[in-house]
Amino acid sequence: MKEILCFGDSNTYGLIPGTKNRYGRDTRWTGLIEQQLYGKGCRIIEEGLCGRTTVFEDELREGRKGAAFLTTLLESQGRRGTELLPTLLETHTPDAVVLMLGTNDCKTFYNASAEVIGLGVERLVEQIRKADKNIRILLISPIQLGEGVWEQGYDPEFNEKSVEVSKGLKAVYQKVAEKYGCDFLAASDVAEPSKEDREHLNEEGHKKLAEAVLEVLAA
């Protein structure tokens, strides 16, 4: 049984737009690809975490002191992809990794350009290559943030610049994929953020992304 590790943020986790709930396994893109691949000897390992970044530490998720400090610190560091990925690679020893991160890196808190976010993605790819040079990597640039995502009632952690940065990730990630010999897919070519929160995939978006990922993996 071959194992495929899907490592990402809330759009890999399957967060339902505008809520704190999660889509069922039969709706989120990771579950949909497993339905098609399980009978072909492949198992999907879902590792999506809301708020996960490539290399940045989300200090806004801290907030407790005293005895709980260590726990909150670990939770915060756990949002950094580079902090956890090596452990997961050692635990699961996957045959392939589907990597889709970068949306949270666009937050105003980090003030990062698309190129800087690309450097974070490179570190993740290097961690995978270090673990096992034979692991197949599918690098996915995330969907673009929707216009007005920063407006009242949506997500104040983003602004107009965040949207522009998100639009620049495709070109940067494609160069990273070429540099390291990874397969590449631009999620923004096949799916859009939902109207509900201008940030996350809706059911149709998960379906379209799953179809695109399957096409690449099948190739």
Side-chain angles (χ1 to χ4, degrees):
M1 181 71 75
K2 293 184 179 295
E3 296 194 333
I4 301 173
L5 173 65
C6 295
F7 190 69
D9 52 32
S10 52
N11 272 320
T12 297
Y13 173 82
L15 187 70
I16 300 175
T19 76
K20 294 183 179 180
N21 301 319
R22 187 183 192 186
Y23 280 122
R25 196 175 184 88
D26 60 346
T27 300
R28 50 188 188 261
W29 68 268
T30 47
L32 292 175
I33 63 173
E34 181 167 69
Q35 290 176 16
Q36 299 297 318
L37 295 177
Y38 191 80
K40 299 178 181 178
C42 294
R43 185 172 77 89
I44 300 300
I45 303 167
E46 294 183 299
E47 279 294 344
L49 178 66
C50 297
R52 177 173 282 152
T53 65
T54 58
V55 297
F56 299 112
E57 183 172 337
D58 190 347
E59 299 196 23
L60 293 177
R61 291 184 183 269
E62 294 181 23
R64 292 180 292 172
K65 302 293 183 180
F69 175 74
L70 180 58
T71 299
T72 54
L73 180 59
L74 290 173
E75 287 176 350
S76 174
Q77 290 181 331
R79 308 289 165 174
R80 297 163 57 187
T82 52
E83 199 72 28
L84 184 60
L85 184 56
T87 301
L88 294 174
L89 293 170
E90 187 174 349
T91 300
H92 299 292
T93 61
D95 298 278
V97 175
V98 180
L99 176 62
M100 185 173 72
L101 282 173
T103 297
N104 292 302
D105 300 58
C106 296
K107 291 178 178 178
T108 57
F109 185 79
Y110 306 122
N111 193 33
S113 65
E115 289 72 21
V116 168
I117 296 171
L119 293 176
V121 169
E122 280 200 52
R123 286 194 59 189
L124 291 165
V125 172
E126 288 170 353
Q127 287 180 334
I128 299 170
R129 288 282 188 249
K130 183 177 180 180
D132 185 344
K133 64 180 181 180
N134 294 315
I135 293 176
R136 181 178 176 183
I137 303 173
L138 169 54
L139 178 60
I140 303 178
S141 59
I143 58 172
Q144 297 175 3
L145 290 165
E147 295 296 335
V149 66
W150 62 86
E151 294 175 354
Q152 186 174 358
Y154 294 94
D155 196 334
E157 294 187 85
F158 297 106
N159 62 11
E160 295 175 67
K161 181 182 175 182
S162 301
V163 175
E164 292 306 309
V165 171
S166 75
K167 292 179 180 179
L169 295 181
K170 174 183 174 179
V172 172
Y173 282 36
Q174 190 163 15
K175 290 180 180 179
V176 173
E178 292 171 355
K179 178 179 178 179
Y180 290 90
C182 307
D183 292 307
F184 174 73
L185 172 67
S188 57
D189 284 349
V190 298
E192 300 177 346
S194 67
K195 294 180 180 179
E196 287 79 8
D197 69 2
R198 305 173 184 176
E199 182 178 354
H200 295 99
L201 294 166
N202 58 17
E203 292 187 34
E204 182 64 20
H206 277 274
K207 181 180 178 180
K208 289 181 177 180
L209 180 58
E211 291 171 349
V213 171
L214 281 168
E215 186 175 346
V216 176
L217 293 178

